[in-house]
Amino acid sequence: MLLIVFSSLNLFPQESDKISLDFRNQKITDILFSLAELCGKSVTFDETVTGNASFHFEDTDFDTALERFTDAFRLFAEKKGDVYNISKVKIETGESGITIDTENVLTEPFLTILSRKTKTTIMFDALPQIPLTIRVQNARINDILNLVILRLPNFTVERVGSGYFLSKVATRTVNRNFEDFKISEENSLLTLSLTKANFSSVIDNLFKTGGREYSLLAKTAVSLENLFYSEKEFDSLLSLLCEQANCDFTEKDGIYYIYEIQKKDVIKKFKETTILNLKNISAENLSSLLPADLNSSSFIKTDKTTNSVVITGSEQETKPIIDFIKSVDMPAEGRVYKNFTLSNITVKEAVSLIPKSMLLSDIIFIEGSSSFVTAVTPEKEKELSEFITLIDERNKALPVKLRYIQSEELLKYLPPSAPKENITVTGDPTLVFFKGSPSLYESFKKELSLIDKPKQQIKYQILIIQQQKTDGSSWKPSFTLTNESGIEQDDTTMNYTALLSGLLNIDFDIVSKFGRQFAASLNAEITSGRARVLADTTLNGISGETITFSNTNTYRYRDIIVDSSGDVYTSTTREISSGLVLSIKGWSSGDNMITVDVNAQVSKQGNTDSSSSTSSDTTNPPTTSEKKVTTNVRTKSGSPIIISGLIQTESDVTERRVPILGRIPLLGLLFRHKVVSEAETEFSIFLVPFVEQGEEAESSDSDRIQSLCKKYILKEADNERE
């Protein structure tokens, strides 16, 4: 293919000065060779240039084509003379470090080129073929190798002489520690750069560089890390290294002997000794004046003969002690003992707050009082009095009157500005006291105004209808919500054909909520006795609280327990309730929406023998059956919710017989028969929740009738006249 391409290109060398080549999934090396041969250039590759590529050349010269191709496939071209060297790795070395830019290069070729470019020996065990992407600037070679082994499991970097070795830990039994340090000499001054190394290795390299002899008597292996010293004399650098390893040295007959010492002996070099001659107080009484945190025998020694104090330690350890001694070693003139009395806080609390620099002597507590005595000068008395006035202040308790919530609820949901210890409750649940700064009190009042608000009230209009179907009737549920004409219209413009006589006594506004056809259908059911209203009520509740409505019958019976002798017995009166129980919990959820949890339960009491004349105290209680519906809905304020499906089926057995003849044994069977009938009852619950915006006046029955008449009957008559 290449021969065909070249022959075709050579046929028309004069037609254009452009390079025009097209390669599809060819080796990168073949593409570059073809480009170089076409343009008469020389190219070389290292072992990192691998893989295939697809590329179209349409360029004016070789340099432009090569630059576009190398940029596209992350290659680097370096021109030496007339030869272009191509590589996937770009390595530049300088005094500040090594700069590398490479992407998706295998480990072994990368290390080979790194060794070649930096002129550093890098050896390694068999390496896994894992691609590397490294971009660093001004880095050291050991840092680059540490980045490499992050991609190589179970490999470690070891410093071997002036080179490095990448070894696999699992295949080697010798445990070599990584060492990275360098000692250089210039003008008889030594410079050490150490990242991590053993003390013995550094000492050996130091003496070789300095051309001296030594004897290492310290046998403990000490690891040194992160030491950098520049332009030090030999003895000075040796002393610094020995301090790191808890060692010291002695020179004798030109040989340095290095031996171990205690760490405290090393620290002694950094401690200073200060002698203070006391002028106004005695050294014997000084220990009683020193505060407990400064009175340490390891720092202070007193000399009674010269009335002086010897203080030993570092500057940070001794400076607070020296400053305190100078502050109390004052002339006795003008110093008196003064009594200080506290009003709001205890003496113990005050002493813990008073700075030591304000005290010239120890504080003397007066038992059974809130006072203390200490020595002061006029200046110290003024300074101490002002400080005590500042700390001896209790925040006043300010009353806070709650408007809508109680103190118990406030403590449960405290605002951020009021910690629990700042609030004191009273016997009045609407009154609390706040203790705190004025600014904190103002913040508390602002946050309380967001909490102490009246909860929204929700009004529930409830209508519960019982529908019953018995054997032999052709009744079927006829409550529908469709328009009479089948065309969507406003209820006020539809033909009103139903009578409202059966609905005028119902408070629930059926017509406006469900339409005239539904109202007419319900009116017909109520009038014919096939439906009856079990509940027609309005309940009010606070948002988020549960309200319950029940319409039940209670059956009471005696539960009798007789002992084994049959003489003594005990009895307990028990109850069984049956009927309708409705539980509603709603809360206003914003945008005039209401979320409602509804739990409806209908229970039915079965037949019992206790109703007969032969019942006794030991009659078994009747059986009960129940139906439950639980739902959670969200609706707009004023939009109705319908809950149905509470259906019960009852069977009734009636015996009919001919008088006198029906009671004759055996023969009477011919003159009596049983009639079994079934009745199916369904409860429908209509619920309309309202978010109450304010007080609403309740309208009377006459007002409601006039409103319905005006809205539907009179308006319909006007429409007919028109």
Side-chain angles (χ1 to χ4, degrees), residues 437-578:
S437 63
S439 60
L440 198 61
Y441 174 69
E442 293 299 325
S443 299
F444 171 68
K445 289 179 62 178
K446 290 180 181 179
E447 294 173 357
L448 181 62
S449 63
L450 303 176
I451 300 175
D452 191 15
K453 289 185 175 181
K455 292 184 179 179
Q456 274 190 315
Q457 285 195 341
I458 300 178
K459 180 176 70 175
Y460 304 93
Q461 290 185 354
I462 302 172
L463 176 66
I464 303 176
I465 303 295
Q466 177 183 347
Q467 303 161 258
Q468 188 169 1
K469 174 184 177 182
T470 58
D471 290 344
S473 66
S474 60
W475 172 87
K476 62 179 180 179
S478 59
F479 292 175
T480 61
L481 298 176
T482 58
N483 297 337
E484 294 176 0
S485 61
I487 303 174
E488 293 186 0
Q489 306 177 44
D490 191 298
D491 282 342
T492 59
T493 63
M494 294 169 58
N495 293 325
Y496 188 74
T497 57
L499 296 177
L500 300 178
S501 60
L503 302 181
L504 294 179
N505 293 326
I506 298 177
D507 292 333
F508 194 93
D509 193 357
I510 298 173
V511 177
S512 62
K513 297 302 178 185
F514 301 108
R516 290 174 297 176
Q517 183 175 354
F518 179 82
S521 176
L522 176 60
N523 182 74
E525 300 293 343
I526 294 175
T527 304
S528 62
R530 290 175 296 184
R532 64 189 183 97
V533 178
L534 290 184
D536 176 26
T537 183
T538 300
L539 302 178
N540 292 278
I542 296 176
S543 176
E545 295 188 1
T546 303
I547 59 175
T548 303
F549 172 82
S550 61
N551 183 4
T552 60
N553 297 319
T554 302
Y555 170 76
R556 296 178 176 86
Y557 67 96
R558 295 176 63 191
D559 188 3
I560 300 175
I561 303 174
V562 183
D563 65 1
S564 58
S565 62
D567 296 332
V568 181
Y569 66 90
T570 59
S571 64
T572 302
T573 301
R574 302 185 184 277
E575 296 180 351
I576 295 178
S577 297
S578 60

Side-chain angles (χ1 to χ4, degrees), residues 257-274:
Y257 294 92
I258 303 173
Y259 49 87
E260 290 184 70
I261 60 175
Q262 296 293 325
K263 187 175 183 179
K264 62 181 181 180
D265 296 328
V266 178
I267 298 176
K268 287 179 182 178
K269 299 179 183 180
F270 308 103
K271 292 189 175 182
E272 299 178 354
T273 300
T274 304

Side-chain angles (χ1 to χ4, degrees), residues 325-356:
I325 293 176
K326 289 181 178 180
S327 66
V328 299
D329 188 23
M330 298 174 60
E333 292 81 5
R335 184 183 299 184
V336 296
Y337 282 92
K338 180 70 176 178
N339 178 56
F340 296 90
T341 303
L342 303 168
S343 301
N344 298 302
I345 63 176
T346 64
V347 177
K348 187 176 181 181
E349 290 175 332
V351 171
S352 64
L353 298 175
I354 297 174
K356 301 298 181 183

Side-chain angles (χ1 to χ4, degrees), residues 139-195:
R140 296 179 300 174
I141 188 169
N142 60 291
D143 295 331
I144 298 171
L145 294 177
N146 286 330
L147 288 175
V148 172
I149 64 172
L150 291 177
R151 293 280 291 146
L152 303 177
N154 301 325
F155 273 79
T156 182
V157 177
E158 304 173 13
R159 180 72 180 266
V160 181
S162 60
Y164 297 89
F165 182 66
L166 276 67
S167 62
K168 191 169 185 180
V169 178
T171 60
R172 302 184 65 87
T173 58
V174 180
N175 184 17
R176 297 190 180 97
N177 294 322
F178 169 73
E179 293 185 348
D180 181 16
F181 70 94
K182 181 180 180 182
I183 299 177
S184 59
E185 182 178 12
E186 185 176 355
N187 299 328
S188 300
L189 297 178
L190 299 172
T191 298
L192 170 66
S193 175
L194 183 148
T195 302

